[in-house]
Amino acid sequence: MHQITLLSVLILKTNQKLPNQMKRSITLILLVLLAFTISTAQTVIKKQYHATRVTTAPVINGILDDEAWKQGDWVDDFTQYEPYNGKHTTQKTEFKILFDDDNIYAAFKAYDTAPDSIVNRLTRRDNVDGDLVGVIFDSFHDLRTGFLFGISSSGVKYDQMFTGDGQNQDGSWDPNWWAKTSINSEGWIAEMKIPFSQVRFDKNSSGTWGLEVARIYYRKNETDFWEHVPKDAPGLVHLFGELTGMDNIKPRKIFDVTPYAVAKAETFKKEPGNPFLAKGQKYGLNAGVDAKIGITNNMTMDLTVNPDFGQVEADPSVVNLSAYETYFSEKRPFFIEGNNITNFNMGIGNGNNGNDNLFYSRRIGRRPEGNLDLKDGWHADIPTYTNILGAAKLTGKTSKGLSVGFIEGMTAEEKAEIDTVSGKVPPTPNSRIFQTVEPFTNYFLGRIQKDFKEGNTLLGGIFTGTNRNLDDNLAKTMHKSAYTGGFDFTQYFKNKAWMFNLNAAFSQVNGSKEAIALTQQSSAHYYQRPDKDYVNFNPDRTSLLGSGGRMQIQKLNGHLNLMGCVIWKTPGFEINDLGYMQQADNVLSVLWAGYNQWEPKGIYQRFNLNGDFYLVNNFGGNITGKGIEFNPSMTFKNYWSAWMYGNLNGSAFSTDMLRGGPIMKMPGSMTANAGFSTDYRKKLNFSVSFNSNAGFEKSYKNFYIGSDITYKPNNSLVVTLSPGISKSFTDLQYVTELNYNGADRYIFASIDRTTINASIRINFNLTPDLTLQYWGQPYIASGKYYNHKYILDPLSKEYTDRFHVYTDAQKTFDTDHYNIDENTDGTTDYTIGNNDFNYQFFLSNLVIRWEYNPGSTVFLVWSQTRNNYNDSGRMDFANNMGDLFNRENDIPHNVFLVKFSYRFGIK
C-alpha cells in the first residue's frame, strides 16, 4: 500500500595494488571534480516567526479554547511545494507557536471549504494516510538536523528525524509528545505539546531555531510549506525559516525507564521419542527493562537489558540456491532508531551492491551458527536465536556540529541440550549433554562525524569490534575477533549543487588456522581458485587483512542530476562479523545521469529518466560485469503511475560460478521490467509489475508477475493483498563438487523453478493508539533438476563446449540419487543426490497494540508457522496448500505472547 507521508513529499535528488581500471575511474572522478569552480554563496532572506512565552500552559484537547492561544500571532503565509511548486495554496493554513519552561506548543488551523471531504483515516503511527499538518524544528540550528512532529486530521502521529540536511530520514524515532485534533465547519484543528526533553539543543543557544511548517491537503495531493522550498533544491534543512524568541529556555535531560514483562505460551506438534517435543507445548515468563537517559543536553543513552522483540514481524520466506547470504532488513526498534549515525555504507543504489555496510545490526542476536555432532537416536533442543544480555547506545550531536553514535552489546553463550538416551521423560541421570552453538560475544561500534562551514564539509570516522569467547569446537569455525575501521569525507560545492564523497575502510579478522582457512575459502573470497594468482591461499594464516572504499561525485540540483562513482573491495576485505558484504575482490565503476521534470504539463504530473553505464572487474584485471541500464517513470494527472526498466549485460567472467573453482566465461543477458499503479488515495487501488530477464545462448530465463491490491472500506480498516508468481529456467545450476580420477568435477544441472507467494496485511485501527495488525504469507517453491552435466572447459569460446551433458548411458536414477558411470564401463564412478524440492511455508503475525500512555504499551501477539516438504520437484498449488493446512499432517507452531510495559519518566 502506498502511504502518504511527509517523507514522500520531501524528496531529495538524489594493502594491495590497484588495477588499471580502478586507477582510470578514480582519475576520471577527480578530473570532473576539478572541472568546475566554487562560487560565492548567495544571501537568502528567510522568513521568521517569533514564538511567544506563556505562563499558563494550554490544555491539549484540539479545540484551542484556552486563554494561552489568545497570545501570539497566527501566520498564514504558505506556498505550494507540490504539485505546482511556488504557486499559491488552494486552502488557507494558519499556525501559532507558544512555549513555557518545559514545553513548546504548536497549533494549526487547516481551513477547508468542504470539511465533510477531509480524509480522516485512522492508521498506525507513522503510516499516515490522509490530511496532515506538521512542524519541523532545527533546534541545533546547524542547518542539517530536523525534528518533525506531524499529526493527521484523525489524530495519528507522524514523527521523524532528519539528518544530513534531510538526505537521511529516521522514521523509527518515536518521541513522547501529545497531540489532539478536531473537525469543525471551517476545516480542522490540531494542537501539540512537545516537551523540550524530546528535542535536542544547546543551553547556550542564541534563541533562534530553524523552522518549517507543512500541510498535506490530501484529496488534491497538495503539499504546502511555510518557508518555500524549490523542487530542485539540493537539500532541505538549510532552507528552513527561523523560529526566534526562544530565549532563556533550558534543555531538559530526558530520563525514561520502561520495564516490561512477557508471558509466553507455545504449542507445536508432538514428537514421540523426542523429550523436547513430547508434550507439544511449553510456557515461559520473561522480564527486562529499557531506558532512555539524557547524559548531556544533547546526548542520549539508550539502554536495554534482556530485551524482548516478540512483537516484531517475522522475516518473509525465501529459498536461496545461491552461495550468498540473504539480506534481511532490521525490524527491532532498539537498533532502528538512530541508525543514520551508525550507518557506514560501502555500496550504492538498491539490491546487493547497496547493502554493503560496516554495521549490519542483525548480527547482534543472530541465529546460533555452531554445528552439532549428533549420533543416531540423539535429540537436540537448539536455540533459534541468541539472547541479548544487554545493549547500550549513545547518540547525539553537539552545538559545535559533532555527531556521535556508540553501540555496545553483549550476547549470551547459547548451548544446545542433547538427549542421548531415546528420549526418556524425565531424563535419566547422565543422559543429557550440552554443546555450545554460539559463544558469549561482545559487539562494539563507535561512529563520529563533524560538520564544518555550515555543513558544507563533513569529516567522520568509524570503528567496530567483535570479540568472542570460543571453546575448542567453535574456534575451528568462528573468528576470535574482528575489527573494522574507516573514515568518510564529504564536501559540498556551489550552494550544495555539487557533492564529493569518499568513504574508506579497513578490516582485520583473527582466529585459528581452521577458521581463517574457512574465511579464505568462503563465497566472499574464494582464495582457493586455481587461477587466482594475485593472492595466495594460506592454510597457516591466523588473520586476514583487507580494505575497501567508495568515491563519488554528484550534481544534486536542477532537472539534470549526474553521478560518477567507484567502489572497491580488496580480496581480503572481510566485514561480515558485524557488517554485511556478499563479495570482496571487485571494483565497480558507474556513470549515471537522471533527468527530473516536476512541473505538471499535458498528461503528466511529473516524470524522470535515469540511465547508467557500469563496469565491474576484480583485482586480477578480469572484467566480471559490464552493462547499461535505463529507467523511465511517469506520474499522470490522475495520479496513476507507470514505470519501465531495461538492462543489457555483456558477456563477462564469473569468479563464483564454480564456487571456488576456476573462472568461467558466461553469456550476457537482458532484462525488461514494467509496471503501473493507480491513485493510492482511492478506496480501491492496485499496482501490477512484470519482470522478465533472459541470458543469451539460452543460458537462463525468468518471468515474474506480482500485484498489490489495497482496499480501504472505511476510515479504520485497510486490507492489502500482494500475490506473485515466478517461473524460471537455469541451464547451469550448481549442484556439487567432487573428485574423479584425481580431477575436480564441478557438477551442474538445468533447473525449472516455480514460486507462488502471497501476503495479506490487515490494519484495523480503533483509535490512533489502539491498533490491530495482521500479516500472513503462504509461500510455495518448487525446483526440478535435470540434464545433469559437468564443466569441461570454462573458458571455451562456444558456450555449449564449456560443459558435457551426461548421456542416458552415463546417468541412471536409483531411489534418491543418480548413479554416474562416466566412462560407461558398467561400474558406478560416483553418485549425485536428487535435489528436487517442493517447499511449503506459511507465516503469520497478529499484533494488537495499545499505547495507553505515551511510551507505555500493551502487546497481544499470536504468531504461527507452518511448513511442509516433499521431493517431487513439481508445483501442485492446490494440493500443496491442502498439505500445508492439513492438521493431520502438520500441526502448526503457535506462539502466544502478552507483553506489558510502563514508562516512568519526565513528561
Side-chain angles (χ1 to χ4, degrees):
M1 181 183 71
H2 295 276
Q3 302 287 355
I4 186 67
T5 67
L6 280 181
L7 173 58
S8 69
V9 299
L10 302 179
I11 300 175
L12 306 171
K13 303 337 161 252
T14 342
N15 37 65
Q16 300 188 16
K17 184 177 180 180
L18 298 178
N20 291 332
Q21 176 60 37
M22 182 178 171
K23 290 181 179 179
R24 290 193 294 268
S25 300
I26 293 175
T27 300
L28 175 62
I29 285 183
L30 292 176
L31 287 174
V32 174
L33 178 63
L34 295 173
F36 62 89
T37 59
I38 304 173
S39 64
T40 303
Q42 298 178 352
T43 301
V44 178
I45 299 176
K46 296 185 175 183
K47 291 181 180 179
Q48 289 189 342
Y49 181 87
H50 188 83
T52 301
R53 179 183 282 274
V54 295
T55 55
T56 302
V59 176
I60 306 302
N61 55 15
I63 305 298
L64 305 184
D65 55 355
D66 298 88
E67 288 294 321
W69 292 117
K70 295 180 180 180
Q71 305 179 57
D73 298 320
W74 290 101
V75 172
D76 64 353
D77 186 16
F78 282 72
T79 306
Q80 278 195 50
Y81 174 79
E82 196 174 86
Y84 297 97
N85 189 254
K87 303 295 184 181
H88 293 297
T89 62
T90 304
Q91 301 282 2
K92 180 180 177 181
T93 307
E94 294 182 336
F95 75 93
K96 180 184 288 189
I97 296 176
L98 311 174
F99 70 98
D100 57 22
D101 290 339
D102 299 312
N103 307 288
I104 189 167
Y105 307 93
F108 306 83
K109 294 179 180 179
Y111 292 93
D112 198 314
T113 53
D116 57 337
S117 298
I118 293 171
V119 181
N120 202 43
R121 294 192 181 111
L122 282 168
T123 60
R124 296 193 71 174
R125 183 173 185 164
D126 293 334
N127 291 320
V128 172
D129 186 25
D131 286 80
L132 177 77
V133 293
V135 59
I136 314 176
F137 298 115
D138 175 10
S139 52
F140 290 116
H141 207 209
D142 63 356
L143 310 182
R144 291 184 53 77
T145 309
F147 301 94
L148 164 63
F149 299 86
I151 191 76
S152 74
S153 58
S154 61
V156 177
K157 293 178 181 178
Y158 177 73
D159 32 42
Q160 193 171 65
M161 182 189 298
F162 293 91
T163 58
D165 195 18
Q167 294 189 53
N168 305 310
Q169 303 89 24
D170 183 2
S172 65
W173 179 66
D174 287 332
N176 296 310
W177 56 290
W178 288 257
K180 292 291 184 180
T181 61
S182 65
I183 296 177
N184 56 39
S185 61
E186 295 183 330
W188 65 285
I189 290 172
E191 189 176 15
M192 301 176 180
K193 181 178 79 171
I194 303 165
F196 283 132
S197 61
Q198 304 303 304
V199 293
R200 300 172 181 176
F201 58 94
D202 190 75
K203 62 181 179 181
N204 298 318
S205 62
S206 63
T208 299
W209 293 4
L211 175 69
E212 184 61 282
V213 184
R215 176 185 179 180
I216 292 178
Y217 179 36
Y218 190 77
R219 66 182 181 274
K220 293 291 186 180
N221 214 11
E222 178 182 321
T223 300
D224 305 326
F225 285 158
W226 169 63
E227 178 67 79
H228 175 56
V229 177
K231 268 292 189 69
D232 62 348
L236 176 70
V237 180
H238 76 283
L239 298 170
F240 285 0
E242 293 181 339
L243 177 64
T244 64
M246 305 294 289
D247 302 307
N248 301 317
I249 59 173
K250 296 179 180 180
R252 295 291 186 265
K253 296 180 183 179
I254 189 172
F255 191 90
D256 290 343
V257 177
T258 309
Y260 79 85
V262 175
K264 183 177 181 181
E266 295 183 61
T267 63
F268 41 84
K269 184 177 182 179
K270 295 180 181 180
E271 186 177 316
N274 186 337
F276 305 112
L277 303 177
K279 294 182 178 180
Q281 59 188 17
K282 62 180 180 181
Y283 306 93
L285 297 173
N286 197 12
V289 63
D290 299 325
K292 187 182 289 288
I293 302 170
I295 303 300
T296 67
N297 299 324
N298 40 35
M299 294 288 170
T300 300
M301 175 77 77
D302 290 273
L303 301 170
T304 183
V305 178
N306 192 33
D308 179 272
F309 302 111
Q311 76 276 13
V312 174
E313 189 174 283
D315 292 318
S317 302
V318 63
V319 175
N320 184 356
L321 298 184
S322 76
Y324 300 107
E325 173 190 13
T326 301
Y327 180 89
F328 291 110
S329 59
E330 180 61 88
K331 300 177 183 180
R332 298 170 296 179
F334 178 86
F335 295 104
I336 295 176
E337 184 177 342
N339 62 5
N340 288 326
I341 183 59
T342 57
N343 174 66
F344 197 90
N345 188 267
M346 300 289 290
I348 185 173
N350 299 319
N352 295 335
N353 288 323
N355 292 328
D356 289 358
N357 205 301
L358 295 192
F359 182 51
Y360 179 43
S361 57
R362 292 291 296 262
R363 302 293 182 205
I364 304 176
R366 68 183 185 179
R367 178 182 290 271
E369 296 189 355
N371 297 317
L372 293 180
D373 181 17
L374 295 179
K375 298 180 181 179
D376 291 341
W378 288 12
H379 297 94
D381 183 14
I382 307 172
T384 57
Y385 63 90
T386 303
N387 282 287
I388 301 174
L389 299 175
K393 177 172 60 177
L394 176 67
T395 58
K397 185 171 186 177
T398 70
S399 60
K400 302 298 183 181
L402 179 65
S403 300
V404 301
F406 291 91
I407 294 179
E408 179 82 16
M410 293 181 293
T411 58
E413 179 183 69
E414 297 293 345
K415 293 179 178 291
E417 185 176 2
I418 301 171
D419 182 82
T420 62
V421 185
S422 299
K424 292 186 177 180
V425 181
T428 58
N430 303 319
S431 67
R432 298 288 173 91
I433 60 174
F434 295 86
Q435 290 185 15
T436 303
V437 291
E438 189 69 21
F440 173 82
T441 306
N442 177 268
Y443 299 95
F444 172 81
L445 177 143
R447 177 82 163 102
I448 60 172
Q449 191 175 64
K450 180 72 169 66
D451 301 352
F452 301 93
K453 300 177 182 179
E454 296 185 333
N456 284 301
T457 302
L458 309 174
L459 184 63
I462 188 172
F463 179 81
T464 75
T466 304
N467 291 276
R468 299 184 176 94
N469 183 21
L470 301 172
D471 62 16
D472 292 340
N473 184 44
L474 293 180
K476 297 176 182 178
T477 59
M478 296 184 184
H479 298 145
K480 176 70 174 177
S481 61
Y483 306 102
T484 67
F487 75 91
D488 60 302
F489 170 76
T490 302
Q491 179 65 56
Y492 292 95
F493 302 94
K494 285 195 171 184
N495 293 326
K496 299 194 174 181
W498 288 80
M499 183 270 286
F500 171 78
N501 166 255
L502 173 64
N503 284 11
F506 78 89
S507 68
Q508 179 179 357
V509 294
N510 308 294
S512 67
K513 295 178 181 180
E514 296 89 344
I516 300 302
L518 287 175
T519 301
Q520 295 177 78
Q521 297 175 88
S522 70
S523 59
H525 305 280
Y526 286 142
Y527 269 41
Q528 72 274 30
R529 263 185 33 225
D531 51 8
K532 196 168 186 175
D533 54 4
Y534 51 96
V535 296
N536 296 315
F537 170 68
N538 184 352
D540 294 323
R541 275 194 177 117
T542 56
S543 66
L544 191 65
L545 295 169
S547 62
R550 180 190 67 194
M551 181 163 56
Q552 57 183 336
I553 182 170
Q554 298 184 51
K555 179 182 179 292
L556 302 171
N557 71 330
H559 292 282
L560 179 64
N561 305 137
L562 303 170
M563 182 191 70
C565 179
V566 177
I567 300 172
W568 68 95
K569 292 169 284 188
T570 67
F573 193 51
E574 173 56 50
I575 61 175
N576 284 314
D577 288 87
L578 191 51
Y580 181 89
M581 178 193 71
Q582 286 196 350
Q583 192 175 37
D585 186 21
N586 63 43
V587 180
L588 168 65
S589 305
V590 181
L591 290 175
W592 173 92
Y595 181 81
N596 299 276
Q597 175 57 265
W598 54 80
E599 297 169 353
K601 292 180 182 179
I603 64 171
Y604 67 81
Q605 194 77 22
R606 69 180 77 89
F607 72 84
N608 66 74
L609 303 171
N610 303 311
D612 66 80
F613 167 78
Y614 60 89
L615 181 68
V616 188
N617 56 272
N618 62 19
F619 277 71
N622 305 113
I623 295 178
T624 58
K626 60 181 182 290
I628 57 174
E629 296 176 303
F630 181 65
N631 176 217
S633 64
M634 179 177 289
T635 299
F636 301 97
K637 283 290 184 67
N638 63 355
Y639 290 99
W640 284 44
S641 297
W643 60 90
M644 295 178 61
Y645 169 81
N647 171 267
L648 180 63
N649 286 307
S651 61
F653 295 100
S654 172
T655 59
D656 60 357
M657 190 69 183
L658 303 188
R659 303 196 181 187
I663 202 167
M664 184 169 182
K665 187 178 180 180
M666 295 302 296
S669 64
M670 62 185 303
T671 300
N673 302 338
F676 70 91
S677 63
T678 65
D679 187 348
Y680 59 84
R681 298 171 301 162
K682 302 298 184 181
K683 281 192 172 184
L684 177 64
N685 63 83
F686 60 92
S687 66
V688 178
S689 60
F690 310 85
N691 303 332
S692 176
N693 52 72
F696 302 145
E697 306 284 352
K698 299 181 180 180
S699 56
Y700 74 89
K701 60 182 178 180
N702 176 74
F703 179 78
Y704 168 84
I705 182 171
S707 179
D708 290 306
I709 306 165
T710 298
Y711 181 54
K712 311 170 188 176
N714 55 51
N715 284 337
S716 299
L717 180 63
V718 179
V719 180
T720 301
L721 177 65
S722 303
I725 180 171
S726 70
K727 294 183 72 67
S728 68
F729 157 78
T730 302
D731 193 31
L732 290 175
Q733 173 62 50
Y734 180 87
V735 175
T736 189
E737 177 188 352
L738 47 83
N739 187 276
Y740 174 64
N741 288 340
D744 292 326
R745 277 283 183 264
Y746 301 97
I747 310 300
F748 284 74
S750 299
I751 183 174
D752 289 332
R753 296 184 63 183
T754 302
T755 301
I756 299 176
N757 68 281
S759 68
I760 182 170
R761 190 177 296 276
I762 300 172
N763 289 290
F764 182 62
N765 300 268
L766 286 82
T767 72
D769 301 314
L770 179 58
T771 62
L772 179 151
Q773 185 177 63
Y774 174 80
W775 172 79
Q777 184 205 48
Y779 180 96
I780 302 174
S782 65
K784 184 71 174 179
Y785 289 79
Y786 60 98
N787 283 351
H788 289 77
K789 61 207 72 174
Y790 63 88
I791 303 302
L792 279 175
D793 181 2
L795 298 178
S796 178
K797 181 179 179 180
E798 297 298 326
Y799 171 68
T800 54
D801 291 338
R802 297 169 199 164
F803 53 84
H804 168 76
V805 180
Y806 294 110
T807 65
D808 290 341
Q810 292 176 308
K811 186 181 76 169
T812 57
F813 184 70
D814 184 6
T815 310
D816 60 355
H817 64 274
Y818 293 92
N819 294 319
I820 305 298
D821 179 11
E822 187 172 318
N823 57 12
T824 62
D825 63 356
T827 303
T828 298
D829 296 315
Y830 47 87
T831 62
I832 302 172
N834 175 26
N835 294 326
D836 296 345
F837 62 85
N838 180 293
Y839 289 106
Q840 305 145 33
F841 302 100
F842 177 75
L843 305 175
S844 69
N845 289 85
L846 175 66
V847 179
I848 299 174
R849 180 183 184 273
W850 177 33
E851 187 174 10
Y852 58 92
N853 201 43
S856 301
T857 55
V858 175
F859 287 97
L860 303 177
V861 181
W862 171 36
S863 298
Q864 185 180 96
T865 303
R866 294 172 178 264
N867 57 74
N868 199 18
Y869 168 81
N870 66 63
D871 62 0
S872 67
R874 298 186 303 272
M875 174 65 68
D876 186 352
F877 182 75
N879 286 329
N880 292 157
M881 289 293 291
D883 292 341
L884 194 57
F885 288 93
N886 186 338
R887 185 174 177 83
E888 294 182 2
N889 296 335
D890 178 63
I891 297 176
H893 186 160
N894 292 296
V895 177
F896 302 93
L897 179 149
V898 178
K899 182 177 180 179
F900 174 86
S901 68
Y902 184 81
R903 181 182 71 93
F904 298 91
I906 300 173
K907 294 184 179 181

